[in-house]
Amino acid sequence: MAAIVQPTFTIPVDSENKAKSLNIFSFSFPHHASFHMSWIGFFVSFVSTFAAAPMVAIIREDLELTKPNLGDAGLAAVTGTIIARVIMGSVCDVVGPRYGLSIVLLLSAPFCFCMSYVTDAAGFLICRLGIGLGLSTFVACQFWMSCMFNGKCVGIANATAAGWGNLGGGVTQFLMPLIYSGMVAGTEGRIYSAWRWAYIVPGLMHTFAGVAVMFLGQDLPDGNYKLLHTSGQLEKKDAFQTQMLGCKNYRMWCMVATYGFCFGVELTMNNIVAGYLYDQFELDLVTAGTLASCYGLMNLFARSLGGLASDFASVKFGMRGRLWTLWLCQTLEGVLCIFMGLARNSLATTILFMVLFSICVQASEGASYGVVPFLTRRALGVVSGYIGAGGNAGATINMALWFKDPKIETYEGIMYMGYLIICVTLLVIPIHFPMWGSMFLPGDPTVTEEDYYIKKEFSEEEIKEGLAVPVQKFCDNCRDERAPQHRPAAAEESKA
């Protein structure tokens, strides 16, 4: 058997060849090239999924849509991808994030083009459902970053990639009205044709991004899945086995619920905020879209702040610091959501609270994925998939509860959503790692990372076969999630 050639890198890496830092200005291959491919792919899916929102005033007039029709379409856009995200988790575990992200972009592109042919509410709903499937790219994005960057910077890497991807939800609020205006000029004032032509742009973005991800990214620092499976460097995972591992981890289900009320809230706001500003304050389409874009544009930095805060808290307090950061950010998110609803009579105050609320939403998402990479190692794709799906499920719940019933005013729905955020966020409290602890309980220093990640997830036969060797490297690299006094360096100093 030929000797395995070890790759060389131009940046500092750990024993798993994961990057020890994130440089957003670097395009070094494979770490930073994959970083840029992941966020660009996710960004494109956000632009297309919420492209209808800033043009809703024209679309509803053309297709004669009622509020329930619009509510159903908004639900379809974020609900259809729930199953897709769960499936994407297994796809990432089995064939890699590169194929997963690329194929979803290419498969959802035709729905963007077909929007030009929609004539009724049913067709509009089906196209929004198909386009929304692209949001499953989030799972591949986060899985990819967790494979490329180590524990010291995984929070900021995950948060920045997802944050810049989510930025598409803000960009589309002003981009699509601009494209629409250009199409109005190009069609000599035929406004009902213009919005249809505008959808060609997101379709082309899907196509170009899907091809770029396929050819410019790499699954893992050591190579692509196919090569690593062939050489025996990477375990060929059983999809059913990893599903069972993920589903038996109660911490995952806590995070599924809490993520539903940060990312799910963002999806909800992307669906309703432009229409809310247009109706509540009688703004024109472009102005409402531009102001609504402020919500999504906070992704430029706010999600990264959450990841950075999670990484910083980990340095000071270990995993317990990450959990406290998540709870604080998301609880404040709920409070500010309530205040935004209360400010219904003042546009300036509404925008102020909307921006502050958005910052906390994005920071909560970043803090969430500072925790997710540590829930499991062997079933990381599955766990990422379910938690990502939880975000869409949260959007479905909020849309159905507060923004579909004509009897509930939109500002009332925003307030009720804030109360629910605060309540659901309490599920961060029971998340407990035996070796690291939880928000209120310390970890057991006699329990090791190997007990949690290897003995719990691998059989003795699998360990003897060497399947757990890559996970051992992960265990070695995440011991800093312990309380400071129980970390390897502290233990060595106490012995001395």
Side-chain angles (χ1 to χ4, degrees), residues 298 401 467:
M298 296 305 103
L401 287 178
L467 298 181

Side-chain angles (χ1 to χ4, degrees), residues 78 85 256 259-261 263-265 267 386-396:
V78 298
R85 286 190 168 198
V256 166
Y259 197 65
F261 286 84
F263 184 64
V265 168
L267 296 180
Y386 274 99
I387 293 172
N392 288 76
T396 301

Side-chain angles (χ1 to χ4, degrees), residues 215-270:
F215 292 102
L216 300 180
Q218 181 172 290
D219 290 316
L220 297 171
D222 296 331
N224 288 319
Y225 267 44
K226 184 176 181 180
L227 173 65
L228 297 176
H229 283 153
T230 303
S231 65
Q233 293 175 267
L234 185 67
E235 173 194 4
K236 291 184 178 180
K237 295 180 180 178
D238 180 277
F240 178 77
Q241 183 183 32
T242 55
Q243 280 283 339
M244 290 299 100
L245 276 175
C247 290
K248 288 190 290 186
N249 191 328
Y250 84 91
R251 301 164 193 81
M252 181 191 80
W253 296 110
C254 291
M255 292 292 295
V256 166
T258 59
Y259 197 65
F261 286 84
C262 53
F263 184 64
V265 168
E266 179 178 4
L267 296 180
T268 302
M269 292 300 292
N270 283 337

Side-chain angles (χ1 to χ4, degrees), residues 327-488:
W327 180 82
L328 287 170
C329 287
Q330 197 154 314
T331 299
L332 183 57
E333 166 199 327
V335 172
L336 290 168
C337 181
I338 295 169
F339 284 162
M340 179 183 168
L342 291 171
R344 65 186 182 278
N345 295 321
S346 169
L347 176 61
T349 308
T350 294
I351 298 301
L352 173 62
F353 280 121
M354 181 187 77
V355 169
L356 295 175
F357 166 39
S358 176
I359 290 172
C360 288
V361 170
Q362 326 306 342
S364 298
E365 293 166 6
S368 294
Y369 271 80
V371 176
V372 170
F374 299 98
L375 296 180
T376 178
R377 184 58 186 166
R378 197 177 193 188
L380 179 59
V382 168
V383 166
S384 296
Y386 274 99
I387 293 172
N392 288 76
T396 301
I397 291 168
N398 281 311
M399 288 293 296
L401 287 178
W402 318 126
F403 303 109
K404 188 179 176 184
D405 188 346
K407 296 178 182 178
I408 300 177
E409 295 292 338
T410 302
Y411 72 84
E412 292 177 321
I414 292 172
M415 286 192 296
Y416 297 152
M417 185 166 65
Y419 294 126
L420 194 53
I421 291 167
I422 294 171
C423 293
V424 173
T425 304
L426 294 173
L427 286 172
V428 176
I429 296 174
I431 297 176
H432 183 89
F433 293 86
M435 63 288 191
W436 299 331
S438 52
M439 281 177 62
F440 294 105
L441 297 174
D444 184 348
T446 64
V447 178
T448 67
E449 286 73 14
E450 287 81 0
D451 292 331
Y452 182 79
Y453 291 111
I454 295 180
K455 294 180 181 178
K456 188 177 178 182
E457 297 189 346
F458 292 86
S459 66
E460 291 187 9
E461 292 75 16
E462 290 173 327
I463 295 172
K464 290 177 181 178
E465 290 174 15
L467 298 181
V469 171
V471 181
Q472 180 62 58
K473 294 180 180 179
F474 177 79
C475 293
D476 295 337
N477 291 321
C478 69
R479 300 194 198 282
D480 284 345
E481 295 300 321
R482 299 177 185 178
Q485 65 271 24
H486 297 309
R487 292 173 185 169

Side-chain angles (χ1 to χ4, degrees), residues 156 159-160 301-311 325 329 359 362-363 366-367:
I156 185 68
T160 303
F301 67 91
R303 188 157 183 161
S304 297
L305 286 180
L308 192 62
S310 181
D311 288 341
T325 299
C329 287
I359 290 172
Q362 326 306 342

